[in-house]
Amino acid sequence: MAEKLALVGIGKIARDQHIPAIAGNPDWQLEAAVSRHAGVDGIDHFQTIDELLEKRPDITTVSLAIPPQPRFEYAAKALKAGKHVMLEKPPGQSLAECYALEALAREHGVTLFATWHSRYADSVPALKAFLAERTLKRLKITWKEDVRRWHPGQEWIWEPGGMGVFDPGINALSILTEVLPYPVHLTGATLEFPENRATPIAAGLTFADPVGAEMSADFDWRQEGPQTWDIDVETDRGAAKLSLGGEKLEIDGEPVIQGANHEYANLYVRMADLVKSGTSDVDLSPMIHVCDAFSLGRRVITDPFEF
């Protein structure tokens, strides 16, 4: 029997990704939406999470597709009500919030899934297998996109807790922490802040690799035209390039995998498995790198940004 699910936040990411992924998975039945401004045809609509929890106690799972700033309150209420909770990335606006939610899920015996959709791109497992059998020499992340295209008019990303360019950049870091056979840590960062914004529009990161590989990341939200979501690696036995955010993989210049956009469909498969097994998945390693970047980063003021 399909689990009854409520989707909180009916914005661009919900309509583009969450709703089609839920509709295509027989383990889920979308029963309700929570949003102050929008609904979904054919299902119950509520203005607040409190109204949802009061009027639809039969719903077992809540998926949160809202900005990180209000997410803790919504998630905490759902967990305390005995609901399984799925968190859009990043899982919160601080690490402390995420640890608190993890503890609440344990206390109430429910599933908490901190999702990293880019980890579920088609070519990520193959890159992980490639690196597991080789010694890494160099890794370079280039993650550049147009914020006006992907976040039109969304002011929350420029407010504290919104993370700025790390909203997409954390996707790259989620792949990095998935494919490497060992952990790495940040050694330095340069963060470019528009003079009128509270979060960065660009960032350059460097990492310490335990085997001595050169490792860096370049994030930028000002790229027009073709968008760039690449990870290039060199090893002792060949090179690989992950592109299109994880859909495509080349090894030594030859295409190996040309996937499609299955990330959110795979997330809901994973969530169903977690609920069935009574377990949680709360890996915060990508967010640790972001927090370290804000801690270690040298702040540079750049031109103001307006939508």
Side-chain angles (χ1 to χ4, degrees):
M1 180 179 295
E3 294 280 342
K4 295 180 179 180
L5 182 141
L7 182 60
V8 180
I10 309 300
K12 178 176 172 56
I13 193 65
R15 295 196 183 278
D16 290 351
Q17 300 291 349
H18 287 265
I19 293 173
I22 295 165
N25 189 320
D27 287 322
W28 299 107
Q29 178 64 43
L30 184 59
E31 292 275 336
V34 177
S35 173
R36 290 175 296 172
H37 308 295
V40 179
D41 290 344
I43 65 172
D44 288 344
H45 176 243
F46 302 102
Q47 294 287 322
T48 67
I49 186 72
D50 298 287
E51 186 182 8
L52 167 74
L53 295 173
E54 177 186 354
K55 295 184 177 180
R56 289 297 307 268
D58 57 317
I59 285 176
T60 62
T61 304
V62 175
S63 181
L64 297 178
I66 54 176
Q69 291 95 331
R71 198 175 298 156
F72 176 81
E73 180 183 359
Y74 282 72
K77 287 180 176 180
L79 292 168
K80 290 176 182 178
K83 310 302 181 185
H84 309 297
V85 173
M86 183 171 172
L87 302 170
E88 176 63 84
K89 65 86 191 170
Q93 63 175 347
S94 73
L95 283 171
E97 286 185 351
C98 299
Y99 289 128
L101 292 178
E102 190 174 18
L104 276 176
R106 286 196 301 268
E107 178 184 349
H108 293 277
V110 292
T111 290
L112 179 65
F113 183 21
T115 70
W116 302 107
H117 64 82
S118 291
R119 284 184 175 176
Y120 290 81
D122 286 350
S123 294
V124 170
L127 179 60
K128 183 176 183 176
F130 176 86
L131 291 175
E133 299 176 346
R134 291 164 175 81
T135 300
L136 184 64
K137 300 297 184 183
R138 186 182 75 91
L139 185 148
K140 171 66 176 178
I141 296 171
T142 308
W143 223 256
K144 299 182 177 182
E145 61 181 61
D146 183 355
V147 64
R148 292 183 175 92
R149 175 177 172 184
W150 300 103
H151 293 276
Q154 295 179 22
E155 292 290 343
W156 63 265
I157 55 177
W158 299 110
E159 296 299 324
M163 296 194 180
V165 76
F166 287 103
D167 179 80
I170 205 169
N171 296 333
L173 297 175
S174 74
I175 296 175
L176 176 75
T177 51
E178 174 67 15
V179 300
L180 289 180
Y182 44 73
V184 296
H185 68 271
L186 200 75
T187 56
T190 300
L191 311 180
E192 295 186 44
F193 285 77
E195 64 179 28
N196 62 335
R197 300 292 181 174
T199 56
I201 198 167
L205 312 179
T206 55
F207 300 85
D209 180 278
V211 300
E214 176 186 341
M215 190 175 298
S216 62
D218 185 10
F219 303 151
D220 203 313
W221 243 353
R222 298 166 294 194
Q223 178 147 309
E224 300 177 357
Q227 309 288 275
T228 305
W229 302 292
D230 296 343
I231 300 179
D232 291 279
V233 301
E234 296 177 9
T235 76
D236 61 336
R237 291 187 289 121
K241 182 183 185 71
L242 192 75
S243 58
L244 300 178
E247 289 183 16
K248 182 179 180 180
L249 179 66
E250 299 174 23
I251 295 179
D252 294 329
E254 295 295 326
V256 174
I257 297 174
Q258 177 60 71
N261 188 354
H262 299 131
E263 296 174 16
Y264 279 82
N266 292 337
L267 286 182
Y268 279 94
V269 170
R270 173 64 172 158
M271 183 62 178
D273 290 342
L274 291 171
V275 170
K276 290 173 185 175
S277 63
T279 56
S280 291
D281 182 350
V282 188
D283 177 18
L284 300 178
S285 55
M287 197 164 171
I288 289 171
H289 288 315
V290 173
C291 292
D292 285 353
F294 280 103
S295 176
L296 297 174
R298 181 172 63 90
R299 183 183 179 115
V300 177
I301 304 301
T302 189
D303 296 337
F305 174 85
E306 301 292 348
F307 281 109

